[in-house]
Amino acid sequence: MRLMRRTTKIVSGVVATSAAALALLVPSAAAASAQPPVSPQACVYFAKPPTTPPGGGVSGSGGRTGCGTSSVTLQVVVNKDVPGFDIQAAERTFRGFVTGTVTAVGNCRGNGNYYTEVRVLGTSTKVQSDRVRLC
């Protein structure tokens, strides 16, 4: 009988300790519902450095991935980096853009550093590529 009580106490202690540890590891329903849902894929905007396409000029590409099915008005611009206001060499605007890449093609504005800029019109979202020497 004495062995039985001791075994029962040990088993009870293990169960109580396991339950307490599990309570610490598993968040409560209230805590879980208070956290925002985690997106399986983040929305990413990108701008690739401009290039010189066959035949001359300048070309810059940019876009977005992982943004679901929401559409935006995406603008891709290639600018020449100069003191003051930069000189626009190419521009393309795509309304109803969801995902992928948009390319803007234009004319060289003289030898210098150029970059591609991607903007979401109506928002503050804007990304720029690295500068590259072209033309």
Side-chain angles (χ1 to χ4, degrees), residues 4 27 33 51-52 54-55 60 62 67 100 104-105 113 118-119 124-125 127 129 132 134:
M4 180 75 147
S33 64
T51 61
T52 301
C67 300
V105 179
N113 290 318
V118 173
R119 306 173 189 149
S124 62
T125 302
V127 295
S129 71
V132 293
L134 296 174

Side-chain angles (χ1 to χ4, degrees), residues 89-115:
E91 183 270 331
R92 183 166 179 205
T93 301
F94 192 113
R95 288 169 183 76
F97 184 81
V98 177
T99 191
T101 303
V102 174
T103 301
V105 179
N107 297 317
C108 281
R109 303 290 187 209
N111 188 23
N113 290 318
Y114 288 78
Y115 64 95

Side-chain angles (χ1 to χ4, degrees), residues 12-93:
S12 297
V14 169
V15 171
T17 304
S18 298
L22 186 60
L24 292 174
L25 295 175
V26 178
S28 68
S33 64
Q35 297 173 357
V38 176
S39 174
Q41 192 175 18
C43 185
V44 176
Y45 289 86
F46 61 90
K48 298 177 182 178
T51 61
T52 301
V58 293
S59 173
S61 298
R64 72 179 193 167
T65 61
C67 300
T69 58
S70 65
S71 66
V72 297
T73 301
L74 191 80
Q75 184 178 53
V76 177
V77 179
V78 178
N79 289 324
K80 181 180 179 187
D81 194 2
V82 296
F85 292 105
D86 292 343
I87 300 169
Q88 184 173 301
E91 183 270 331
R92 183 166 179 205
T93 301

